């Protein structure tokens, strides 16, 4: 059975179990507590709330706060302060309204009245829950939730509809979990506009009013203008709070030719002397102008490129690398990433500022699938047209197609939005964004801490309001950048030259002096080329010399994946013979001959199914 991987600091794996005194035997409770400690969940505490018993277990010790305790996992900006993990919570800290703060976190607040389990404002942190076998179980790790359910005696079964959703197609929409129903029957992902309270009455799921109201805002033109300006200030403060925290020896700014990293760069220029306090990280991506534009911006505004100080470099076997991925992303995300060398969470002295989460403001799915869903008058039509447009991997079947349509329709109906298109785009916020940008413990472990300054409550409220039309939403990041630094939108982006972008002429400019200005950048990057060579040498110097077998294993990693894949197909075929059959396997083999990334994704999906089944019963 797959080994549970403990997330690195500042993340803190936790699980909360609420049960009636007579619903779980002492033997089961003792067993769960022992196995939690065996899996790195060392802090186990019990409290009583009337007839309800609550076991709260976490990797790190609780922090005492006013009127209670706090279990915290991740990073946040709360009350103007950058909060970096459990150890940064002091007894003086007030956690009132923490559930409405931005960041990448989950938390459990424990008081005499009960336990509040919550997620950050945009749901980059994710909670999973289940109500079965006489207990209500909540965890910020899906793998851990399933383990606890199995230890309690639950015989989990895979949902047939979720197997179809995973294996039906290789389309981007299905490259991650698409439903609040997790793969195992009775397990769920908590929407980020919800939180859980456990008290004397038991466990209840409640709406987070501030998040819900963001989707129902009736805004005037003056309101929209004010929210844009407030969002501008929040993004600046997101950067300033990190620099002022003095937690990190180095702050690194990701910079490419895209809109989102440009907006973060513009915000940085509003923080006094910050351009001289950060190092700029960019890549020379074939076919893009990322390096050219980043070098031009650095040469124009000042700053310096990233210099590798020599982070720890520990060898990781192929099996360990695969196990880490499979444990952390189980049942959620399938764009697999592997590495043979890693600081293993010890590179905590630097943090990267990234343009992540910018997609939540402009809509992501609708532009990709606009041809498929064009003309759909309601949610049922949209779900039908969407699925009809997916390329199919499994044996074509009207029955299976209908199962997938009904699964998606059920989820769309629960999402906020005044129109089918709005609900479709909100699906991105509730699922893909939470995995693609929210599940960052993997990156903290293998690279370094990361922070997304673009996460803003005011911008979120503006973008989600029905008062903003699709054109305004599409160009929101440009308008924000102009507000942050009016010159920057007149410098070419990677995909669109300024002179070819009609949207710029439609923006309400804060400073018309730069309108139409022709800026020629000094794009020389000799200093980047020199540093890039030194950076690679610095990493290599920190890598111990390994036995030949280590390098041979990694050089032939695709053979290992192929072997695992074939074994998994053989194991799963008798269980799901109408889905996993020769046609399905042949389709995968045919496509993967020219697309290794596709094969890796299908490997991740199949192994995720197998891993979840094995938790409850050996195949």
């Amino acid at each position: 059975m797959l080994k549970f991987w403990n997330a690195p600091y500042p993340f803190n794996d936790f699980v909360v179990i609420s049960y009636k005194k007579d619903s779980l035997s002492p033997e089961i409770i003792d067993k769960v507590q022992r196995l939690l400690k065996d899996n790195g969940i060392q802090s186990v505490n019990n409290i009583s709330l009337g007839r309800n018993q609550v076991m709260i277990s976490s990797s790190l010790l609780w922090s005492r706060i006013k009127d209670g305790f706090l279990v915290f996992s991740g990073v946040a900006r709360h009350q103007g302060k950058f909060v970096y993990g459990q150890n940064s919570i002091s007894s003086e800290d007030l956690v009132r309204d923490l559930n409405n703060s931005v960041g990448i976190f989950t938390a459990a607040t424990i008081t005499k009245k009960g336990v509040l389990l919550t997620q950050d404002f945009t749901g980059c942190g994710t909670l999973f829950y289940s109500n079965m076998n006489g207990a209500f179980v909540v965890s910020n790790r899906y793998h851990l939730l399933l383990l606890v359910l199995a230890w309690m005696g639950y015989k989990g079964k895979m949902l047939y509809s979720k197997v179809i959703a995973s294996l039906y197609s290789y389309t981007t929409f299905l490259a991650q979990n698409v439903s609040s129903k997790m793969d195992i029957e009775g397990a769920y992902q908590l929407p980020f506009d919800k939180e859980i309270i456990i008290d004397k009455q038991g466990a209840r799921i409640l709406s987070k009013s501030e998040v819900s109201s963001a989707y129902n805002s009736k805004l005037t033109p003056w309101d929209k203008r004010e929210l844009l300006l407030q969002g501008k200030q929040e993004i600046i403060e997101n950067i300033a709070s990190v620099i002022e925290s003095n937690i990190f020896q180095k702050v690194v700014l990701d910079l490419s030719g895209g809109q989102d990293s440009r907006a973060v760069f513009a915000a940085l220029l509003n923080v006094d002397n910050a351009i001289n306090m950060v190092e700029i990280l960019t890549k020379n991506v074939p076919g893009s102008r990322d390096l050219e534009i980043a070098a031009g911006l650095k040469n124009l505004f000042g700053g310096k490129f990233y210099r590798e100080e020599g982070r720890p470099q520990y060898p990781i076997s192929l099996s360990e690398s695969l196990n880490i991925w499979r444990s952390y992303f189980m049942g959620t995300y399938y764009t697999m990433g592997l590495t043979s060398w890693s600081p293993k969470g010890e590179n905590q002295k630097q943090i990267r500022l990234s343009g992540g989460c910018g997609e939540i403001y402009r809509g992501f799915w609708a532009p990709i699938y606009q041809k498929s869903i064009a003309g759909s008058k309601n949610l049922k039509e949209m779900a039908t047209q969407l699925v009809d447009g997916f390329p199919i991997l499994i044996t074509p079947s009207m029955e299976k197609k209908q199962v997938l349509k009904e699964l998606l329709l059920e989820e769309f109906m629960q999402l906020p939005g005044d129109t089918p298109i709005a609900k479709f785009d909100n699906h991105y916020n509730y699922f893909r964004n939470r995995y693609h940008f929210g599940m960052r413990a993997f990156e903290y472990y293998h690279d370094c801490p990361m922070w997304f300054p673009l996460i803003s409550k005011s911008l979120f409220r503006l973008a989600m309001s029905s008062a903003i039309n699709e054109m305004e939403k599409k160009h929101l990041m440009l308008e924000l950048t102009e507000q942050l630094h009016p010159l920057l939108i007149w410098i070419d982006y990677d995909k669109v030259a300024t002179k070819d972008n009609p949207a710029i002429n439609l923006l309400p400019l804060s400073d018309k002096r730069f309108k139409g200005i022709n800026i020629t950048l000094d794009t020389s990057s000799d200093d980047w080329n020199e540093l890039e060579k030194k950076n690679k040498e610095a990493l290599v110097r920190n890598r111990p010399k390994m036995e030949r077998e280590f390098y041979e294993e990694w050089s032939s990693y695709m053979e290992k994946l192929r072997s695992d894949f074939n074994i998994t197909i053989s194991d799963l075929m008798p269980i799901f013979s109408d889905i996993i059959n020769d046609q399905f396997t042949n389709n995968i083999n045919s496509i993967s001959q020219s697309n290794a990334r596709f094969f890796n994704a299908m490997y991740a999906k199949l192994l995720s199914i197998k891993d979840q089944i094995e938790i409850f019963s050996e195949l």
Side-chain angles (χ1 to χ4, degrees), residues 181-237:
K181 293 179 178 177
M182 298 304 291
D183 294 351
I184 294 297
E185 184 178 2
Y188 299 89
Q189 174 178 295
L190 186 69
F192 69 87
D193 59 356
K194 302 289 191 295
E195 55 193 2
I196 296 170
I197 188 166
I198 300 172
D199 56 20
K200 292 180 180 179
Q201 301 176 47
R204 305 189 305 283
I205 297 174
L206 306 176
S207 291
K208 293 177 69 173
S209 58
E210 190 167 345
V211 180
S212 299
S213 66
Y215 284 101
N216 300 297
S217 300
K218 305 298 182 183
L219 305 179
T220 66
W222 187 88
D223 292 331
K224 292 195 289 184
R225 175 74 174 175
E226 284 300 299
L227 284 173
L228 179 66
L229 295 178
Q230 290 171 19
K232 166 189 170 180
Q233 190 58 36
E234 289 167 9
I235 292 169
I236 294 170
E237 291 170 359

Side-chain angles (χ1 to χ4, degrees), residues 58-71:
S58 56
S59 299
L60 303 173
L61 293 174
W62 303 0
S63 297
R64 182 178 289 277
I65 57 173
K66 185 177 181 180
D67 299 327
F69 297 89
L70 177 69
V71 178

Side-chain angles (χ1 to χ4, degrees), residues 379-512:
L379 286 175
K380 187 174 182 179
E381 284 188 11
M382 185 179 73
T384 297
Q385 291 176 210
L386 182 67
V387 175
D388 286 348
F390 291 159
I392 304 175
L393 283 174
I394 65 175
T395 303
S397 160
M398 290 302 296
E399 177 189 358
K400 296 180 182 64
K401 181 180 287 190
Q402 187 61 31
V403 168
L404 180 56
K405 290 176 183 177
E406 290 176 359
L407 178 73
L408 296 182
L409 178 59
E410 181 182 6
E411 197 62 48
F412 290 150
M413 291 176 67
Q414 298 178 51
L415 294 172
D418 295 333
T419 65
I421 295 298
K423 287 178 175 286
F424 186 40
D425 267 335
N426 282 329
H427 188 281
Y428 172 86
N429 300 340
Y430 278 72
F431 294 96
R432 183 177 173 90
N433 190 73
R434 302 185 77 177
Y435 310 138
H436 187 64
F437 292 114
M439 299 184 71
R440 285 288 149 173
F442 185 81
E443 190 120 17
Y444 277 56
Y445 186 76
H446 287 314
D447 186 5
C448 70
M450 180 171 284
W451 178 240
F452 301 128
L454 292 182
I455 303 177
S456 158
K457 292 165 65 173
S458 295
L459 284 183
F460 185 86
R461 186 181 173 198
L462 174 59
M464 297 308 124
S465 168
S466 58
I468 184 169
N469 62 47
E470 289 303 312
M471 190 61 67
E472 289 176 312
K473 192 171 181 178
K474 184 178 180 181
H475 302 142
L476 182 58
M477 200 56 63
L478 278 176
E479 188 175 356
L480 171 68
T481 303
E482 199 274 340
Q483 286 286 338
L484 287 162
H485 198 293
L487 179 64
L488 282 171
I489 65 165
W490 302 104
I491 296 173
D492 286 353
Y493 290 89
D494 177 32
K495 301 299 182 185
V496 182
T498 298
K499 62 182 178 63
D500 299 326
N501 188 359
I504 289 183
N505 295 318
L506 301 176
L507 295 180
L509 301 178
S510 66
D511 192 333
K512 296 182 179 180

